[in-house]
């Protein structure tokens, strides 16, 4: 059987990389010939999980078509979040937990999405449905993905299915969810060692909002103030990136993973700014907005923005 | 829980109506509050199945938003094949077996598609995964959908999953697949009693082909000649319908369900005609094209056309 790549979105997080590894393993067990690859290097949090579980980071690809004719996507479907030459390959499988946007195919395909907190929760179901045993390290990387995406089950995206999956996977992997999870999340919050340019690109996705391109980045911290003091430099980095990449607006969501609060820096023209204010029911003060209780880009940021722009 | 509609595509066939009935039953068992409805009256084949199994036809709706805020789609996802006000309601669930095209949401949702012959095959898996028992008549209507979509397992869209599902469902329903299936399919081939205007609209779908709207209708017969002698009247009906509805091209696929061969009548401008010829590697003779072995619009017609137009 001809080889297919399995990969998550650009600027990969622990779900994008961990679930690609797990889904590739499952598909190979089912008779496919796949290789898990990535659209970027792992971030500090993901690297922590890979190291702990004894995985090498999947190799990074720039393009898919020179090597394969077909691909399987995890944790994303929107073309602008995918490999740059996604239009030149056939998508045969998607496993995801996001909205569907601008994803078009000419043929029927396998598409499995559920409104759960993490793609690995869906892949955990697929393992069970197919009766494929989950090895210890695969269970560990899937548990890491769930911990990451749900912020240790505290994000409002968390569902009962995520809780069940994490419990089952942690048991197989032999990890203590609280201690392992907190250590892993904290590994991803060391912002002192990184420039603003790096930080706004670590976990950043582009979204089509009624024809406008919005860049939405998220940075996890254990102390909001540590990021807020660097606001001026963040805004400059966001402006430079927007000019260079043609983003119509840029939002940086800084999230305190300990108390589940966020502050956002937002740039864009007047119309965009007023739509952000409408979306969140908050005033923008000097490009800054307090977003109490907001931790999920997918559930608490993108849907109200989509609505405000439509 | 607030009520949601479950429905298949416009110009419903046995899969669209039968699977809506079955999926609504399953979702209600799982705690949702749904009503199976339809976007049109059942065709003769579907009516045969409904009568045999003791179902009333689902009521026909023109719009969804006046009655519900959210809907579940079966057997389709493309907006132009859905209820006219689909943009005004939220799609929470999709179960399908088609390509994905122009289907966009602002929120994550449950989306389950597989490249199998019939949507009921996917719903059969969902019943099994959820551990919900399938009643006799629900099994019967799902079996009817599979028989219809796969032309008694003879269409190239047929997969092993369809065979397994049909076998299991026929057993629960207590029907003999061959005798029941042939009687049901034949009930849908009585074209003598219908006008050309009716026939080109019975099982017709609109497709976006790189910005052009293609109308593709299919009629099942047990003797191609019976349809071919009415060619002139068919072409006129297709021209009138295109003018009225703004279709850029119209293809009528006439399929002999006994020997799995088709002939097509095709109208459109010169560019469209040459793309049809390219797609199928056949010459159009006086708006007519012989399509040996072609029985599946989804697998053998739409993908080559999509390719030819891109």
């Amino acid at each position: 059987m001809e080889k297919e790549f399995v990969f998550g979105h650009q600027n990969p997080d622990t779900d994008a990389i961990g679930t690609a590894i797990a889904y590739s393993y499952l598909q190979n067990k089912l008779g496919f010939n796949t290789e898990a690859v990535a659209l970027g290097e792992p971030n500090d949090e993901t690297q922590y999980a890979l190291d702990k579980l004894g995985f090498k980071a999947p190799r990074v690809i720039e393009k898919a078509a020179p090597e394969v004719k077909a691909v399987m996507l995890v944790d994303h479907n929107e073309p602008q979040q995918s490999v740059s030459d996604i239009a030149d390959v056939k998508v045969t499988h998607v496993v995801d937990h996001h909205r569907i946007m601008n994803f078009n195919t000419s043929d029927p395909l396998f598409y499995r999405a559920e409104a759960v907190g993490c793609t690995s929760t869906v892949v955990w179901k697929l393992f069970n449905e197919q009766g494929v045993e989950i090895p210890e390290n695969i269970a560990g990387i899937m548990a890491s993905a769930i911990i990451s995406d749900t912020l240790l089950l505290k994000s409002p995206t968390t569902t009962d299915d995520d809780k069940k999956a994490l419990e089952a996977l942690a048991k197989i992997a032999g990890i203590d969810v609280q201690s392992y999870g907190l250590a892993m999340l904290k590994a991803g919050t060391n912002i002192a060692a990184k420039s603003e340019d790096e930080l706004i690109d670590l976990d950043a996705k582009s979204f089509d909002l009624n024809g406008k391109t919005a860049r939405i980045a998220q940075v996890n911290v254990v102390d909001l103030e540590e990021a807020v003091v660097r606001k001026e430099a963040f805004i400059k980095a966001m402006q430079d990136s927007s000019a260079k990449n043609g983003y119509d607006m840029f939002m940086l969501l800084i999230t305190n993973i300990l108390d589940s609060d966020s502050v956002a820096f937002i740039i864009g023209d007047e119309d965009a700014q007023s739509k952000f204010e409408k979306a969140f029911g908050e005033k923008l003060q000097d490009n800054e907005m307090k977003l109490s209780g907001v931790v999920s880009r997918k559930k608490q940021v993108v849907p109200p923005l989509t609505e405000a722009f439509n």
Side-chain angles (χ1 to χ4, degrees), chain A:
Chain A
M1 186 166 276
E2 211 162 330
K3 189 165 96 166
E4 295 188 44
F5 282 154
V6 179
F7 53 84
H9 49 79
Q10 295 172 15
N11 305 92
D13 57 10
T14 307
D15 191 13
I17 286 183
T19 303
I21 292 171
Y23 191 55
S24 171
Y25 175 88
L26 171 64
Q27 293 298 80
N28 290 347
K29 282 281 166 189
L30 296 176
F32 292 93
N33 171 16
T34 74
E35 179 189 354
V37 294
L39 304 186
E41 301 291 342
N43 61 35
D44 291 347
E45 177 201 284
T46 309
Q47 192 61 56
Y48 176 93
L50 293 169
D51 289 344
K52 280 279 171 189
L53 297 158
F55 284 108
K56 268 182 61 178
R59 77 182 165 97
V60 175
I61 60 160
E62 297 290 332
K63 288 183 181 298
E67 296 190 67
V68 297
K69 289 200 189 103
V71 301
M72 306 184 181
L73 310 182
V74 298
D75 196 26
H76 76 294
N77 66 83
E78 305 192 32
Q80 58 188 343
Q81 298 170 5
S82 198
V83 72
S84 59
D85 64 343
I86 187 71
D88 301 330
V89 290
K90 180 172 172 169
V91 180
T92 64
H93 294 68
V94 178
V95 186
D96 194 17
H97 67 139
H98 294 91
R99 70 172 189 178
I100 297 176
M101 187 63 77
N102 300 326
F103 179 81
N104 298 313
T105 67
S106 58
D107 288 273
L109 73 162
F110 180 94
Y111 201 108
R112 176 80 172 249
E114 298 189 28
V116 293
C118 178
T119 316
S120 263
T121 298
V122 183
V123 173
W124 170 70
K125 293 187 186 188
L126 293 172
F127 269 100
N128 294 341
E129 288 163 18
Q130 298 291 340
V132 175
E133 202 180 327
I134 309 176
E136 203 175 305
N137 60 347
I138 295 284
I141 201 69
M142 291 168 77
S144 302
I146 298 173
I147 290 166
S148 171
D149 265 22
T150 66
L151 292 178
L152 259 171
L153 304 179
K154 284 192 304 190
S155 162
T157 56
T158 310
T159 66
D160 283 346
D161 286 348
D162 297 301
K163 292 176 190 166
K164 274 185 230 160
L166 179 54
E167 192 186 339
L169 291 165
K171 200 173 160 192
I172 297 170
I175 57 174
D176 177 80
V177 169
Q178 286 304 320
S179 60
Y180 172 83
L182 207 58
M184 186 194 84
L185 289 176
K186 277 194 178 163
T189 63
N190 180 14
I191 69 166
K194 292 197 173 61
S195 72
E196 289 78 15
D197 284 339
E198 288 174 277
L199 288 167
I200 64 162
D201 196 45
L202 260 186
D203 174 12
K205 292 182 182 175
S206 298
F207 295 89
D208 180 278
L209 294 177
N210 205 9
K212 301 279 184 186
T213 301
R215 186 73 165 175
I216 308 179
Q218 186 166 23
V219 168
N220 288 344
V221 295
V222 288
D223 172 18
L224 286 180
E225 201 48 34
E226 194 192 357
V228 171
V229 295
R230 294 166 69 178
K231 173 172 167 184
E232 210 173 312
F234 273 124
I235 297 280
K236 177 155 188 331
M238 290 156 65
Q239 281 164 340
D240 290 350
S241 175
S242 296
K244 190 176 147 201
N245 300 296
Y247 306 138
D248 296 302
M249 60 207 92
F250 202 127
M251 175 186 201
L252 172 64
L253 191 69
I254 300 155
T255 300
N256 185 329
I257 59 163
L258 299 182
D259 68 5
S260 304
D261 255 343
S262 292
V263 65
F265 302 147
I266 295 160
I267 61 167
D269 66 16
E270 234 171 85
D271 180 59
Q273 297 205 17
S274 82
K275 292 215 166 94
F276 272 85
E277 293 185 336
K278 188 177 145 207
F280 300 106
E282 294 280 342
K283 280 280 159 211
L284 255 179
Q285 305 253 344
D286 198 16
N287 299 107
E288 186 175 333
M289 193 183 274
K290 218 178 137 34
L291 294 169
S292 296
V294 170
V295 299
S296 166
R297 174 171 48 198
K298 188 177 64 165
K299 191 149 184 168
Q300 298 172 294
V301 174
V302 175
L305 278 177
T306 305
E307 197 130 308
F309 277 82
N310 280 350

